Amino acid sequence: IIPTILSVIFCRFSIRRETRYMLLGNALLFDLIYLLFYTLSSAVNAAHVHLPKEACVLLMFLLAVAYCGGLFTAAAIVLDTYIAVMFPLRYIAILPPSRTKKVIVLLWVCAGAFPGIFFLVLSSTHSFVPCALEMCSVPVILILTPNGTDAVKLCFWLSTIVIFLCLALVFCCYAIMYFKTKQSGIWESICSRASVTFLMHNTVLFFYFFPLMVLFVESFLCVNVVVKLKVGIWVSLTVCNVLMILPKILFPFLYGLRYREIAASLKSIV
């Protein structure tokens, strides 16, 4: 469904020129890249193929870029909704298509720079310890990260802080939107467009941030030897193979198919 929605967005000028659809297409593109590379890493591990260290590092970097890009774009979609609700008359002036393209470029730069800095730090300090296991597995690397060198721990905690800052920004936007529109009557019906949109955003963002919270708590417990390593690996496997994939499965259905223009285009294609 993701390539089909992307083809509709990129091939139709009337859809492609709107901010919400450009951000949606960007999020779906990041999700598609993540799913492709994660499937590749899973297939390689299932086939017991030992990747060279450089190939493993490159694969982990691409996965980090794709995941960060999806996370940042999800936050950008919330900010877009916030601007549309809070400044409806100035929305087009604030976010015209030309400026939205610059925002998307900035999202790609941030998605590449954020993990890129950490990978450079780890490379300069020779701290890629998990790759020495000859098993290029995201769950295994995640569970070993808090027990790594000081550079690895620093990158882990800085990543956690950035994620919590994104979560706080999203929460503040939602809280402000709710209190500003509380007296307007758009929340009276549980089936109203505002209520459904609010529930949709919260569902997707919950599944984006909840796995990271679980990994954070699990890593903290493993560091303090509260949870055994075997249990930690099982938790990491569940988080990476189920919880982190869920929002990427729900996103095209909750966002893409909900828009009338995209749904109508898909029906005409079918």
Side-chain angles (χ1 to χ4, degrees), residues 86-97:
M86 302 302 294
F87 310 100
L89 299 179
R90 297 173 53 199
Y91 173 71
I92 297 178
I94 295 174
L95 274 179

Side-chain angles (χ1 to χ4, degrees), residues 212-233:
L212 302 173
M213 296 284 289
V214 173
L215 284 174
F216 170 73
V217 173
E218 171 217 353
S219 302
F220 179 77
L221 294 176
C222 285
V223 168
N224 292 277
V225 202
V226 178
V227 175
K228 294 182 179 179
L229 183 62
K230 186 177 181 180
V231 177
I233 290 177

Side-chain angles (χ1 to χ4, degrees), residues 224-266:
N224 292 277
V225 202
V226 178
V227 175
K228 294 182 179 179
L229 183 62
K230 186 177 181 180
V231 177
I233 290 177
W234 275 108
V235 173
S236 294
L237 282 168
T238 305
V239 169
C240 293
N241 295 331
V242 180
L243 296 181
M244 281 188 173
I245 304 300
L246 270 177
K248 304 182 185 308
I249 296 173
L250 293 173
F251 199 90
F253 293 98
L254 290 179
Y255 280 79
L257 298 183
R258 183 172 177 270
Y259 290 121
R260 297 186 186 96
E261 293 86 350
I262 294 179
S265 299
L266 289 175

Side-chain angles (χ1 to χ4, degrees), residues 20 34 133 181 191 225 256 268:
R20 53 180 176 170
Y34 180 86
L133 296 173
T181 58
C191 297
V225 202
S268 65

Side-chain angles (χ1 to χ4, degrees), residues 161-180:
I161 291 171
V162 170
I163 290 166
F164 274 108
L165 288 176
C166 287
L167 183 60
L169 175 65
V170 169
F171 177 77
C172 289
C173 288
Y174 273 131
I176 294 171
M177 278 192 290
Y178 176 76
F179 287 112
K180 286 286 186 180

Side-chain angles (χ1 to χ4, degrees), residues 11-270:
C11 294
R12 306 220 171 187
F13 179 74
S14 59
I15 292 178
R16 191 175 67 243
R17 66 188 301 272
E18 291 193 34
T19 298
R20 53 180 176 170
Y21 295 134
M22 286 196 286
L23 290 174
L24 171 65
N26 194 56
L28 290 175
L29 187 59
F30 274 123
D31 287 350
L32 184 62
I33 293 171
Y34 180 86
L35 290 172
L36 288 174
F37 282 115
Y38 191 80
T39 303
L40 175 64
S41 68
S42 300
V44 167
N45 290 323
H48 302 290
V49 176
H50 299 303
L51 289 177
K53 178 181 175 181
E54 292 77 13
C56 177
V57 171
L58 178 61
L59 186 58
M60 292 300 108
F61 174 73
L62 293 174
L63 281 171
V65 169
Y67 195 84
C68 289
L71 200 65
F72 294 158
T73 308
I77 289 174
V78 175
L79 288 174
D80 173 62
T81 306
Y82 173 81
I83 295 172
V85 171
M86 302 302 294
F87 310 100
L89 299 179
R90 297 173 53 199
Y91 173 71
I92 297 178
I94 295 174
L95 274 179
S98 58
R99 188 168 295 170
T100 305
K101 292 176 183 177
K102 294 177 183 177
V103 170
I104 290 175
V105 172
L106 180 62
L107 289 173
W108 278 90
V109 170
C110 292
F114 183 66
I117 293 171
F118 292 157
F119 274 72
L120 285 174
V121 170
L122 296 177
S123 178
S124 61
T125 56
H126 304 286
S127 299
F128 285 113
V129 178
C131 294
L133 296 173
E134 294 185 352
M135 185 174 184
C136 198
S137 170
V138 177
V140 173
I141 291 176
L142 285 175
I143 194 64
L144 292 176
T145 297
N147 297 305
T149 61
D150 292 338
V152 173
K153 291 178 182 177
L154 177 63
C155 292
F156 174 77
W157 290 113
L158 285 177
S159 302
T160 304
I161 291 171
V162 170
I163 290 166
F164 274 108
L165 288 176
C166 287
L167 183 60
L169 175 65
V170 169
F171 177 77
C172 289
C173 288
Y174 273 131
I176 294 171
M177 278 192 290
Y178 176 76
F179 287 112
K180 286 286 186 180
T181 58
K182 188 178 180 181
Q183 306 299 328
S184 62
I186 62 175
W187 302 98
E188 290 180 0
S189 173
I190 195 171
C191 297
S192 66
R193 189 167 181 81
S195 299
V196 173
T197 302
F198 187 75
L199 180 62
M200 176 188 69
H201 279 297
N202 276 288
T203 301
V204 173
L205 288 168
F206 172 78
F207 282 115
Y208 262 113
F209 287 103
F210 179 69
L212 302 173
M213 296 284 289
V214 173
L215 284 174
F216 170 73
V217 173
E218 171 217 353
S219 302
F220 179 77
L221 294 176
C222 285
V223 168
N224 292 277
V225 202
V226 178
V227 175
K228 294 182 179 179
L229 183 62
K230 186 177 181 180
V231 177
I233 290 177
W234 275 108
V235 173
S236 294
L237 282 168
T238 305
V239 169
C240 293
N241 295 331
V242 180
L243 296 181
M244 281 188 173
I245 304 300
L246 270 177
K248 304 182 185 308
I249 296 173
L250 293 173
F251 199 90
F253 293 98
L254 290 179
Y255 280 79
L257 298 183
R258 183 172 177 270
Y259 290 121
R260 297 186 186 96
E261 293 86 350
I262 294 179
S265 299
L266 289 175
K267 286 179 182 177
S268 65
I269 290 173
V270 173

